[in-house]
Amino acid sequence: MSTQTFVLPDVGEGLTEAEIVQWRVAAGDTVGVNDVLVEIETAKSLVELPSPFAGTVGELLVGEGTTVDVGAPIITIEATDAASAGPSTIGQTEHGAPEAAAAEGEGAVLVGYGTGGSVASRRKKPAPSPAERVASSVGVVAKPPIRKLARDLGVDLSAVTPSGPAGEVTRDDVVKHASQASVFRNLETPEWGAVREESIPVSAPAPASVAPAQAAPPAADSREETIAVKGVRKATSSAMVQSAYSAPHVSVWTDVDATRTMELVKRLKASPDFADVRISPLLIMARAVIWAARRTPMVNAAWVDGADGAEIRVRRYVNLGIAAATPRGLLVPNIKDAQDLSMRDLARALEKLTLTAREGKTSPADQHGGTITITNIGVFGMDAGTPIINPGEAGIVAMGTIRQKPWVVDGEVRPRFVTTVSGSFDHRVIDGDGMSRFIADVASILEEPALLLD
């Protein structure tokens, strides 16, 4: 048996620090290879770090809620690994990358969410797996595509209230249940405070060794609180300031008759080909942005400052970013090579992206390399806005709420579904005619989705 010191590794994101969110083990616990030791929060995501060896937990060297640098020791383990000859430090190779496996067994993963394993811990048992949650769904009336959707979303069909005419569970029932469960779980779980940045009163800050979820509540007469700027909030604020003060923003917008978009959404929802996929106007908006970007490539470009001077990098592909408001803050995951996806595949990608973001499990890779972004402010009841461009991109499009308004059609005032499409652009990269043409193209698709057949 030898004492091993595990240091905070570079989890493959090029980051320099991370916050210890929650220890999954305690001193004296027995751990095996790939058992999760700790959950950390980087500037981009929540990551579970598994153990690269088996043994007994010695000492937790860093308290929950503490931000530490990459390479700092965080835990010691009395390893039973026969290949370990003496004390050592595990976590990084000489090149700064996380080690991939331990001597006792291959497959130790230090990046992402680790490999499942049971820890002999005094702490509460982990949440049931998706397979366990759906194990009691056998007697429920639901079509095979709906059952597959429930399995993918980890939904227990027996807990879903059916709305079908014959008492069957529908796709909308499953999606609604998954969305509600995600929100309620985030609100009710004890780990919520650690994930969303705990508010700590100015008059009584908690010591670093106290977990955020255990911090003392504000005094009854406290009128001010402070919120630590770290994790996603820190990264977002830095990126937005950099973008706002380096790229000259120009915004344009137009009102759109989106009635035919709403009709198409209704038809797709009724189509058997889309029975297990969530359909919303955002899907048509996404296709519109991809189509319009092909016609005006400069909105999908980027301004790059290099050693030999600045250049404009035009991308011939679309990694479509979707701004997502999550309990951890603003995230902008993107769908890689969205231009190659069919309508159905794009709908699936949007659904997966949204649910993953809500769960706080968006990976760093999914947030890297975006080329243009959509922000759906309509879900908050907003008509239009002037969003800030995501760093590394030249354009961001905002989709406002869709509501019935009086609209002139063929000289007559009729009720139509109307929305506003707005966008902000880097004026160094694209001129007024280009950004106006792009927004007009997006509006044209929302007014007449049949143009997508071109």
Side-chain angles (χ1 to χ4, degrees), residues 408-432:
V408 178
V409 180
D410 297 330
E412 298 181 358
V413 177
R414 302 177 185 176
R416 305 288 285 182
F417 285 100
V418 178
T419 187
T420 301
V421 177
S422 55
S424 297
F425 302 89
D426 187 341
H427 216 326
R428 298 173 301 176
V429 177
I430 185 168
D431 296 327

Side-chain angles (χ1 to χ4, degrees), residues 321-342:
I322 305 294
T326 77
R328 298 177 53 239
L330 176 67
L331 299 179
V332 190
N334 61 80
I335 300 171
K336 301 295 191 291
D337 290 315
Q339 79 283 350
D340 294 333
L341 299 181
S342 66

Side-chain angles (χ1 to χ4, degrees), residues 127-137 151 153-158 185:
S129 66
E132 293 170 333
R133 287 196 295 268
V134 301
S136 59
S137 303
R151 288 195 301 271
L153 300 182
V155 170
D156 180 357
L157 283 176
S158 66
R185 180 162 57 251

Side-chain angles (χ1 to χ4, degrees), residues 141-440:
V141 179
K143 296 179 180 179
I146 306 304
R147 292 186 178 278
K148 182 179 184 302
L149 175 63
R151 288 195 301 271
D152 292 343
L153 300 182
V155 170
D156 180 357
L157 283 176
S158 66
V160 178
T161 302
S163 64
E168 75 276 13
V169 174
T170 67
R171 178 193 58 80
D172 288 340
D173 295 335
V174 174
V175 172
K176 180 180 179 181
H177 185 88
S179 299
Q180 291 177 340
S182 174
V183 173
F184 293 148
R185 180 162 57 251
N186 282 334
L187 290 175
E188 296 173 358
T189 178
E191 288 77 22
W192 168 260
V195 172
R196 66 168 288 276
E197 306 278 351
E198 183 73 11
S199 297
I200 302 175
V202 175
S203 57
S209 59
V210 177
Q214 299 171 341
D221 60 348
S222 176
R223 300 202 305 167
E224 293 186 359
E225 296 179 334
T226 59
I227 298 176
V229 180
K230 53 187 177 180
V232 171
R233 177 59 57 193
K234 181 179 179 181
T236 299
S237 63
S238 176
M240 293 300 98
V241 169
Q242 175 189 356
S243 176
Y245 287 97
S246 61
H249 285 53
V250 176
S251 298
V252 294
W253 56 87
T254 186
D255 291 335
V256 183
D257 178 0
T259 302
R260 290 182 177 172
T261 284
M262 298 303 288
E263 293 171 351
L264 175 58
V265 169
K266 184 177 181 180
R267 290 198 301 271
L268 291 177
K269 286 184 176 181
S271 170
D273 293 336
F274 290 84
D276 60 343
V277 184
R278 185 179 185 183
I279 305 297
S280 74
L282 180 60
L283 171 62
I284 313 303
M285 180 68 169
R287 288 298 296 267
V289 168
I290 295 169
W291 181 81
R294 184 178 65 183
R295 290 164 53 87
T296 309
M298 297 307 288
V299 302
N300 195 50
W303 180 278
V304 180
D305 289 311
D308 298 327
E311 62 182 13
I312 295 175
R313 184 172 300 160
V314 181
R315 280 79 69 104
R316 305 298 182 187
Y317 58 93
V318 177
N319 288 348
L320 184 63
I322 305 294
T326 77
R328 298 177 53 239
L330 176 67
L331 299 179
V332 190
N334 61 80
I335 300 171
K336 301 295 191 291
D337 290 315
Q339 79 283 350
D340 294 333
L341 299 181
S342 66
M343 183 80 83
R344 176 184 172 86
D345 289 338
L346 183 59
R348 283 186 177 278
L350 286 169
E351 185 175 47
K352 179 181 178 182
L353 177 150
T354 302
L355 291 174
T356 302
R358 285 177 180 171
E359 294 286 347
K361 295 183 177 179
T362 303
S363 69
D366 288 339
Q367 299 177 68
H368 178 71
T371 62
I372 191 168
T373 294
I374 297 174
T375 177
N376 185 9
I377 60 176
V379 297
F380 306 111
M382 297 295 102
D383 292 322
T386 55
I388 296 179
I389 303 166
N390 201 34
E393 302 174 16
I396 180 171
V397 186
M399 182 179 185
T401 188
I402 301 177
R403 63 184 70 179
Q404 282 197 317
K405 294 182 179 180
W407 194 264
V408 178
V409 180
D410 297 330
E412 298 181 358
V413 177
R414 302 177 185 176
R416 305 288 285 182
F417 285 100
V418 178
T419 187
T420 301
V421 177
S422 55
S424 297
F425 302 89
D426 187 341
H427 216 326
R428 298 173 301 176
V429 177
I430 185 168
D431 296 327
D433 62 333
M435 65 182 75
S436 298
R437 183 169 57 250
F438 171 77
I439 289 295

Side-chain angles (χ1 to χ4, degrees), residues 440-453:
D441 279 346
V442 172
S444 296
I445 295 298
L446 295 181
E447 289 179 346
E448 184 48 81
L451 290 173
L452 289 172
L453 300 177

